[in-house]
Amino acid sequence: MTALPLRLAVLISGRGTNLQTILDAITYSQLAARVMLVISNRPEAAGLAVARATGAPVAVVDHREYPGRESFEHGLSAHIDAAAVDLIVLAGFMRVLTADFVQRYQGRLLNIHPSLLPAFGGLDTHARALAASAREHGASVHFVTAAVDGGPVIAQTRVPVLAEDVPDSLARRVLEAEHRLYPLVLGWFCEGRVALERDTVYLDGLPLAAPVQFAYEAQRE
């Protein structure tokens, strides 16, 4: 079992709302972890201010300054390895990672995706769910593999699609679900309850036949 608190690197590209949720969970002793480093591939990412406000160390590895994905990932790895982290948390990180990078950190890379994987991998998930007349949408936490949004799923939150939904309204509820789901699954990892062996997720020492499912409940005003 990994010694507590778990040392995290959080990779972001945008607003940092999932980062804020993780930091809040740590602050309120709901997550036995420490954010050792926040890395953004975009120097203008609002999430960097979120990290700085809590005193978390930050780094910018601007992908536009590198000739290719491999050299960009070399820059990422240099920061990650220097921070000696236990787990790399992708929180709205909008770069596709190479197989070599994923293999280097296999079993220590988690991502949250705004859909019920394997449905609607990739971008524009909310609009695509509505276009497909999906009755449910949601969020998935999964181990990262070389297949984009194709790694073994640990847990999901199912969000009903309402008749009046448009992409923005559905996105708001899914993001709310993400903010509950991600710290919960990270907590399992911190407690040594969840692990990846080959292509199989183990929870409490047993192979997970299907992702753990949670039902969405709207937050009370």
Side-chain angles (χ1 to χ4, degrees):
M1 183 180 296
T2 304
L4 298 179
L6 206 72
R7 296 162 61 94
L8 308 180
V10 184
L11 275 56
I12 64 170
S13 294
R15 295 175 296 169
T17 65
N18 272 303
L19 168 64
Q20 182 68 72
T21 301
I22 292 166
L23 291 167
D24 288 346
I26 293 170
T27 297
Y28 293 106
S29 301
Q30 298 166 348
L31 184 61
R34 180 181 177 190
V35 175
M36 306 303 300
L37 182 63
V38 175
I39 306 177
S40 176
N41 65 302
R42 298 175 62 242
E44 67 275 19
L48 290 171
V50 171
R52 292 186 178 109
T54 65
V58 303
V60 174
V61 183
D62 190 340
H63 65 277
R64 293 164 292 194
E65 296 181 355
Y66 293 84
R69 283 200 291 166
E70 290 79 7
S71 57
F72 164 66
E73 290 176 354
H74 180 77
L76 278 183
S77 293
H79 286 284
I80 290 168
D81 294 347
V85 301
D86 304 303
L87 181 66
I88 302 164
V89 179
L90 307 186
F93 185 66
M94 303 302 290
R95 299 297 296 173
V96 174
L97 298 169
T98 66
D100 286 345
F101 184 90
V102 171
Q103 180 64 34
R104 179 171 184 160
Y105 301 107
Q106 186 174 18
R108 297 196 292 132
L109 268 170
L110 290 185
N111 183 48
I112 189 160
H113 182 76
S115 81
L116 296 173
L117 293 173
F120 310 118
L123 303 175
D124 302 320
T125 64
H126 313 303
R128 290 162 58 203
L130 291 172
S133 299
R135 299 179 65 181
E136 284 188 312
H137 193 37
S140 306
V141 176
H142 66 96
F143 282 102
V144 178
T145 64
V148 178
D149 298 327
V153 179
I154 304 166
Q156 297 178 317
T157 298
R158 311 186 79 86
V159 176
V161 178
L162 307 180
E164 64 272 21
D165 267 328
V166 295
D168 283 350
S169 63
L170 184 54
R172 284 192 294 271
R173 293 204 312 285
V174 170
L175 187 61
E176 184 181 314
E178 290 183 41
H179 291 168
R180 300 180 194 180
L181 184 64
Y182 217 1
L184 175 65
V185 176
L186 290 176
W188 293 349
F189 200 101
C190 290
E191 295 162 7
R193 296 182 57 195
V194 66
L196 180 68
E197 295 184 17
R198 297 184 182 272
D199 295 323
T200 301
V201 177
Y202 282 77
L203 181 61
D204 295 331
L206 299 174
L208 203 59
V212 179
Q213 299 292 323
F214 296 95
Y216 169 82
E217 294 182 4
Q219 289 183 336
R220 296 180 180 179
E221 297 296 334

